[in-house]
Amino acid sequence: MRQRVVRVALTAALVAVVLLAVPLALAIRSSLYAAQRDTLERTALAAAVRVSPDYATGDPVELPKAPAGGHLGLYDPQRRLRAGSGPRTADAPVRGALVGEVVRAPSGGDLVAAVPVSHAERVIGVVRASSPADAVRDRILAVWAVLLGVTVVALAVAVVVARRQARVLAAPLEDLSRHCRAVADGDLNARAAVGSIAEIDQVARTHNAMLQSLSELLRRERDFTANASHQLRTPLTGLRLILETGLAQGDARPALREALDATQRLDQTVDELLRLARADGMPRPRLPDRSVPGLLREIEERWHGLFAHDGRRLEFVGGLEAGDVRVPGGPVGEILGILLDNARVHGHGTVRLTVRDLEDALAFDVADEGRLAGHPAHLFERGRSAGGGSGIGLALARDLATRLGGRLSATLTDPTTFTLLVPTGDLQDEDPGRSGTAR
């Protein structure tokens, strides 16, 4: 691009210079020739004034000094040179002036001006002034050389300015090209720089905005995939245990009913993950649709078997006194499920789920008998885990809590305790068309 800009600018400058320089050069040539002829004519006129009508009878004629390198002479009507210098016999310009007109014409390589000398309405002679045409030609060539030098300097300046402008124009486009190559190589964090050219800057800003939207979309898709993989692993394990137990007992109908309930919970989990993936990042509290005792019973039914299978206990403390308080069962259940699964996999001993009424909020404490390793602030960073896990569960739980309008934090490190705060004020559903019936 830089070379094309330089070529275009140089071509435009060359055309402009040619259109200006060629007519100027011709005008200079014509002007110098005309000026020299005017000078010769003035010299001849000045000499003609000094010619006495008695010169033919021998009265001496005093002519001015001849032009540099030229001649100045007086010719009588018989075309003979009577004074000064010049051809011995009259040439064509002198013969033309004998009829009473001033003649300016080239002759024998000279520029000639012939002025008639009149007396009593009769031409008594002709003054001829001449100078070499080569002298004028040399001056013309000298001026043309200066003009050519100025033209070359102008073109050189045009090239310098064009190269600078080419850099200014090409730099943001080259940066945008490098940025696009980086994006094509997988660097979605690359952003095009904004410069000083409004049109290119608009392209860069639009491209950056498009890339930001695309990156956010890809991030949500990756997060949804990771969240789904993380959240479905434990329910699928529980579903397998239910089916294995049913097969071992011989009567599969109770196991099938329990498996159906587990499948419904899987559907609810996927639904919550889809809601989170489609969220725009703003907290939109869900309509409370589940009583706290009912939610705790569902959690106990879901997790008691898994903890018992591992030889551990799951205890519930409080919650019955909050029987008239309702919470969004889907997201709260998912968050508590993540905390319980985290305690089952990474914790030790008995796990306790405690419900505390804080008037305008409910606090759900999930504690085990282990000790939390690492800084609590790092536990909720996606991809980081202090206990050898995937680093997805707690990050997902915090996202769900934020989407719910609540807050999730690690309140104690020894014993490990996580607290979920759920507001119990007036909550509005993210979809006004949805009813508050339990799923």
Side-chain angles (χ1 to χ4, degrees):
M1 175 180 177
R2 296 190 181 191
Q3 293 181 353
R4 287 195 295 270
V5 172
V6 172
R7 283 199 298 268
V8 170
L10 185 58
T11 301
L14 184 60
V15 170
V17 166
V18 169
L19 292 178
L20 291 175
V22 171
L24 181 60
L26 296 177
I28 290 173
R29 177 181 180 276
S30 176
S31 176
L32 289 178
Y33 273 116
Q36 184 62 23
R37 292 190 185 100
D38 290 343
T39 300
L40 293 175
E41 183 176 345
R42 285 194 299 271
T43 302
L45 286 172
V49 172
R50 297 186 180 187
V51 176
S52 171
D54 298 330
Y55 81 91
T57 60
D59 190 15
V61 179
E62 295 181 1
L63 297 177
K65 183 179 179 180
H71 303 280
L72 180 64
L74 173 63
Y75 290 83
D76 60 18
Q78 288 73 35
R79 304 176 183 177
R80 293 175 300 180
L81 178 65
R82 298 296 300 268
S85 60
R88 299 301 302 174
T89 59
D91 53 7
V94 173
R95 291 194 299 269
L98 286 173
V99 298
E101 296 180 356
V102 176
V103 177
R104 301 196 308 182
S107 176
D110 291 339
L111 296 178
V112 178
V115 176
V117 180
S118 300
H119 179 70
E121 299 182 356
R122 184 171 60 89
V123 176
I124 62 174
V126 174
V127 175
R128 177 184 183 275
S130 65
S131 65
D134 291 342
V136 180
R137 190 177 302 112
D138 291 342
R139 290 201 302 273
I140 292 173
L141 293 178
V143 175
W144 281 3
V146 173
L147 182 61
L148 179 61
V150 173
T151 301
V152 172
V153 171
L155 292 177
V157 172
V159 170
V160 172
V161 173
R163 290 176 65 87
R164 182 179 180 278
Q165 288 299 112
R167 286 196 301 270
V168 172
L169 291 173
L173 292 178
E174 291 171 352
D175 179 74
L176 184 59
S177 176
R178 288 192 296 269
H179 159 260
C180 291
R181 284 197 298 270
V183 173
D185 292 337
D187 184 8
L188 298 182
N189 293 322
R191 293 294 182 271
V194 177
S196 58
I197 303 176
E199 292 78 4
I200 300 178
D201 291 348
Q202 182 62 36
V203 173
R205 282 191 289 267
T206 303
H207 187 81
N208 289 342
M210 178 192 69
L211 184 59
Q212 181 65 30
S213 300
L214 179 61
S215 300
E216 181 64 19
L217 178 61
L218 292 176
R219 183 193 65 79
R220 291 184 181 182
E221 293 296 331
R222 286 195 300 265
D223 288 350
F224 173 76
T225 302
N227 293 340
S229 174
H230 181 274
Q231 288 302 98
L232 295 180
R233 185 182 299 114
T234 298
L236 288 176
T237 300
L239 181 60
R240 186 186 64 186
L241 292 176
I242 293 172
L243 294 177
E244 289 176 352
T245 302
L247 290 176
Q249 292 176 351
D251 185 4
R253 284 182 295 181
L256 289 177
R257 284 194 294 270
E258 191 173 353
L260 182 60
D261 294 338
T263 303
Q264 184 177 5
R265 289 194 295 271
L266 284 175
D267 179 68
Q268 294 173 352
T269 297
V270 173
D271 185 57
E272 290 299 327
L273 294 179
L274 285 174
R275 287 177 182 274
L276 181 63
R278 295 167 182 167
D280 58 4
M282 296 296 294
R284 292 184 181 178
R286 295 283 305 283
L287 186 68
D289 58 359
R290 203 81 50 85
S291 66
V292 174
L295 179 62
L296 295 180
R297 283 194 298 270
E298 292 180 9
I299 293 175
E300 183 177 13
E301 292 174 0
R302 180 178 178 183
W303 291 95
H304 177 76
L306 292 174
F307 277 93
H309 182 269
D310 294 339
R312 297 173 62 186
R313 295 178 59 190
L314 174 61
E315 296 180 354
F316 292 83
V317 180
L320 296 179
E321 65 276 9
D324 58 343
V325 179
R326 303 176 71 84
V327 294
V332 173
E334 288 299 324
I335 297 171
L336 295 179
I338 293 173
L339 297 178
L340 291 173
D341 185 62
N342 190 70
R344 184 179 68 87
V345 175
H346 304 293
H348 303 281
T350 300
V351 177
R352 292 179 178 83
L353 197 162
T354 304
V355 181
R356 296 179 288 125
D357 189 354
L358 303 180
E359 294 185 0
D360 58 347
L362 287 180
F364 294 84
D365 299 320
V366 178
D368 60 66
E369 297 177 357
R371 184 176 182 274
L372 189 62
H375 197 282
H378 296 161
L379 297 175
F380 300 98
E381 296 178 8
R382 185 173 293 270
R384 297 186 60 169
S385 174
S390 61
I392 296 175
L394 291 177
L396 172 59
R398 170 165 282 187
D399 291 341
L400 287 170
T402 302
R403 179 69 177 170
L404 183 65
R407 186 177 65 191
L408 176 64
S409 59
T411 52
L412 289 176
T413 58
D414 189 7
T416 301
T417 304
F418 290 91
T419 299
L420 169 65
L421 294 179
V422 179
T424 56
D426 293 334
L427 301 178
Q428 299 296 327
D429 191 10
E430 62 184 3
D431 185 358
R434 289 182 59 93
S435 64
T437 57
R439 294 174 295 167

